[in-house]
């Protein structure tokens, strides 16, 4: 029986069966895939283990008089198969192909970036020429125009009080009124 069938028979999970086998170092046969194959003796031994656990004994203290010692079985391959060699060769070719493709992609990207950089450099040159042409309108250097604008911006204008703006200056206003009255 396999692990799942024994687990159903004993009404426990398959991981519980695997834990019992591992911790108690039981020798259990394995199939080609490495799965446990339990004999009738193994199942009887597992029932004894389950009975002791149901009585309250912890797994580390469970004793089995006719316990088998588990032995590891290692399958040795006499020679690597021809298919295995072909598969390794194919994987190697694929890896080399991927490296070549990656190098080609990087080279293409570098060429694209270089082309874009050259285009940007040409555009910068055109912009510099245009700025230089705009800086000297009618023979005046651009710095002179900038200095004149800065001077005009920093020139302080005298603020007149709000009431004076409304009523004006009395001396000037009275003379203008008096000349208006005489007319």
């Amino acid at each position: 029986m396999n692990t799942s069938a024994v687990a159903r028979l004993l009404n426990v999970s398959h991981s519980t069966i695997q834990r019992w086998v591992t911790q108690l170092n039981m020798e259990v046969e394995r199939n080609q895939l490495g799965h446990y194959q339990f004999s009738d003796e193994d199942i009887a031994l597992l029932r004894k283990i389950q009975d002791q656990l149901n009585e309250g004994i912890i797994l580390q203290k469970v004793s089995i008089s006719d316990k088998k010692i588990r032995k590891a079985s290692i399958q040795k391959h006499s020679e690597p198969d021809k298919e295995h060699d072909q598969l390794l060769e194919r994987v190697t070719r694929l890896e080399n192909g991927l490296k070549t493709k990656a190098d080609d992609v990087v080279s293409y990207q570098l060429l694209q970036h270089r082309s874009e950089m050259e285009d940007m450099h040409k555009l910068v040159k055109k912009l510099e020429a245009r700025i230089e042409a705009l800086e000297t309108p009618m023979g005046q250097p651009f710095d002179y125009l900038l200095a004149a604008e800065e001077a005009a911006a920093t020139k302080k204008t005298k603020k007149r009080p709000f009431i004076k703006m409304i009523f004006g200056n009395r001396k000037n206003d009275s003379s203008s009124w008096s000349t208006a009255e005489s007319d």
Side-chain angles (χ1 to χ4, degrees):
M1 293 181 120
N2 63 16
T3 306
S4 297
V6 173
R8 280 192 300 270
L9 181 68
L10 298 176
N11 200 23
V12 293
S13 69
H14 69 282
S15 60
T16 301
I17 298 293
Q18 291 172 344
R19 186 176 50 238
W20 291 350
V21 170
T22 304
Q23 289 187 356
L24 296 173
N25 293 324
M26 293 175 58
E27 182 182 308
V28 179
E29 294 287 326
R30 291 182 180 249
N31 64 12
Q32 297 85 3
L33 299 175
H35 300 290
Y36 291 127
Q37 291 292 343
F38 295 95
S39 65
D40 291 336
E41 293 174 1
D42 297 329
I43 295 170
L45 191 58
L46 288 171
R47 284 182 196 235
K48 288 180 184 178
I49 294 169
Q50 186 178 29
D51 291 339
Q52 289 182 26
L53 291 172
N54 288 339
E55 291 173 7
I57 300 172
I58 60 173
L59 186 60
Q60 288 81 9
K61 300 214 179 201
V62 169
S63 64
I64 304 168
S65 57
D66 55 335
K67 174 173 88 170
K68 297 179 186 176
I69 298 175
R70 184 174 67 167
K71 296 178 183 173
S73 62
I74 301 173
Q75 295 178 350
K76 294 183 180 179
H77 294 286
S78 58
E79 292 181 25
D81 295 313
K82 186 176 182 180
E83 287 181 28
H84 184 263
D85 290 340
Q86 289 174 344
L87 186 62
L88 284 175
E89 183 181 332
R90 186 171 180 197
V91 167
T92 304
R93 276 188 282 134
L94 286 172
E95 286 177 345
N96 290 336
L98 282 173
K99 287 178 185 177
T100 303
K101 283 287 185 188
D103 290 343
D104 291 345
V105 167
V106 169
S107 297
Y108 178 76
Q109 288 176 338
L110 285 173
L111 289 173
Q112 286 295 103
H113 289 298
R114 179 176 286 161
S115 174
E116 290 173 6
M117 292 297 289
E118 288 173 357
D119 291 344
M120 293 299 281
H121 186 67
K122 289 176 185 176
L123 181 63
V124 166
K125 289 288 186 187
K126 285 181 183 177
L127 288 173
E128 285 177 346
R130 177 141 173 117
I131 289 172
E132 192 173 314
L134 290 173
E135 283 180 341
T136 55
M138 295 186 263
Q140 293 180 349
F142 183 70
D143 294 337
Y144 171 74
L145 293 174
L146 230 115
E149 287 179 10
E150 286 179 13
T154 57
K155 182 180 176 184
K156 293 185 178 180
T157 57
K158 184 177 177 184
K159 291 188 176 180
R160 292 176 56 184
F162 181 70
I163 296 182
K164 281 189 176 181
M165 283 178 26
I166 294 174
F167 296 109
N169 195 352
R170 288 181 105 187
K171 290 181 181 177
N172 292 340
D173 288 344
S174 63
S175 65
S176 63
W177 281 22
S178 61
T179 55
E181 287 178 5
S182 61
D183 288 336

